[in-house]
Amino acid sequence: MSRRRAALVTGGGSGIGRAIALRLAEDGFATAVLDLDTEAAERVAGECDDKGYEAIAVGGVDVSDRAQVDAAVRRVRTELGPVLGLVNNAGVTGFKEFLRITDEHWDRQLAVNLSGPFYCCQAAVPDMVDAGWGRIVNISSSSTHSGQPYMAHYVAAKSGLVGLTKSLALELGPRGITVNTIPPGFVDTPMLRGSERRGLLGGSVDEHARLSPVRRAGRPADIAAACSYLMSEEAGYVTGQVIGVNGGRNT
Ligand code: NAP
């Protein structure tokens, strides 16, 4: 990488976000690990630091709160420089029979999974426009390919994120900014194991993995590898794309 660039990874304290933060730090981004969970963000920033990579923790930030997002991005800009890379990864899952989804459930899904990325993009894009260079990757979900029973609120929010991705890509392309989405499928993270424990998967992670075309569950590093490419200089001609990383479960 020719010049110093800062990247912000939301939900960077756990699972897929942690793997992405570590990978981008290794790739040479000065990396901000943002998470609701302060200790988790500090742990991951510490892991980067132990490996000699530049990273800071931005803990206790809820991406669904615009004021908190704006303050977090200001802090990253001050400590690491202009935010030229953004990975909107923070997300919450939801599982409810359709008629039992309350307004509160619906609003929370949209707030975290769709408004969060909207606020983060609005806070970071001015830095990218000033630089004439930027990379945004939105982590959506393979359920946006297929739909998912009992997850209408989650899938609706994540499908909105796919639409945000495509529209922003067209609008920001002329400014040197690419915007893509990775919809992960069945990645072994605390979120997936939580769903397994609550009996929401219709079988164990191992049982599902055996039925997957590649015969294993996804690893957070699988998503991080795709993200690393999309955030790179050489991915400048890839924008507005949905890059599925799901072991062939969705084609
Ligand atoms: P995870 O292990 O639960 O990690 C998500 C991280 O985001 C947690 O550290 C969580 O903090 C944080 N977070 C949640 N709400 C937040 C908020 N409002 N503001 C800031 N941070 C927040 O989940 P994961 O499996 O790695 O998922 C990462 C992304 O991939 C999510 O967007 C998810 O929807 C998507 N995804 C995952 C899979 C999969 O198979 N794992 C499949 C499809 C899509 P707390 O722990 O404090 O809540």
Side-chain angles (χ1 to χ4, degrees), residues 11 13-17 34-37 40 61-64 89-92 108 112-113 139-142 154 158 184-192:
S14 173
I16 292 169
L34 182 151
D35 208 287
L36 203 50
D37 182 335
V61 177
D62 183 342
V63 295
S64 71
N89 164 81
V92 285
R108 188 65 189 151
V112 177
N113 292 333
I139 305 300
S140 51
S141 166
S142 64
Y154 175 82
K158 290 291 192 177
F186 213 70
V187 182
D188 197 348
T189 66
M191 181 187 274
L192 187 72

Side-chain angles (χ1 to χ4, degrees), residues 1 14 25 57 73 119 124 145 147 149 174 179 201 243 251:
M1 195 179 299
S14 173
V73 169
Y119 299 147
H145 294 273
V179 191
L201 299 182
I243 310 288
T251 55

Side-chain angles (χ1 to χ4, degrees), residues 137-156:
V137 176
N138 294 321
I139 305 300
S140 51
S141 166
S142 64
S143 63
T144 63
H145 294 273
S146 54
Q148 190 70 30
Y150 306 108
M151 297 184 81
H153 46 350
Y154 175 82
V155 179

Side-chain angles (χ1 to χ4, degrees), residues 8 10 62-66 69 86 88-90 107-123 138 161 164:
L8 172 65
T10 72
D62 183 342
V63 295
S64 71
D65 183 316
R66 186 193 276 281
V69 166
L86 170 65
N88 284 307
N89 164 81
D107 290 346
R108 188 65 189 151
Q109 283 295 319
L110 265 79
V112 177
N113 292 333
L114 185 55
S115 299
F118 166 61
Y119 299 147
C120 290
C121 286
Q122 283 204 328
N138 294 321
L161 186 55
L164 177 70

Side-chain angles (χ1 to χ4, degrees), residues 18-114:
R18 169 181 169 273
I20 291 172
L22 288 165
R23 178 63 193 260
L24 295 185
E26 183 183 343
D27 288 348
F29 282 96
T31 301
V33 184
L34 182 151
D35 208 287
L36 203 50
D37 182 335
T38 301
E39 276 178 29
E42 284 170 354
R43 219 169 21 247
V44 175
E47 284 183 80
C48 294
D49 195 49
D50 289 346
K51 294 182 171 181
Y53 309 139
E54 188 176 8
I56 59 168
V58 186
V61 177
D62 183 342
V63 295
S64 71
D65 183 316
R66 186 193 276 281
Q68 289 186 29
V69 166
D70 287 346
V73 169
R74 274 198 303 275
R75 197 188 133 198
V76 177
R77 194 178 287 130
T78 303
E79 294 186 27
L80 297 180
V83 181
L84 303 189
L86 170 65
V87 182
N88 284 307
N89 164 81
V92 285
T93 189
F95 194 88
K96 274 269 176 279
E97 191 182 325
F98 179 66
L99 292 179
R100 293 183 184 276
I101 295 174
T102 62
D103 289 358
E104 287 71 27
H105 296 137
W106 179 263
D107 290 346
R108 188 65 189 151
Q109 283 295 319
L110 265 79
V112 177
N113 292 333
L114 185 55

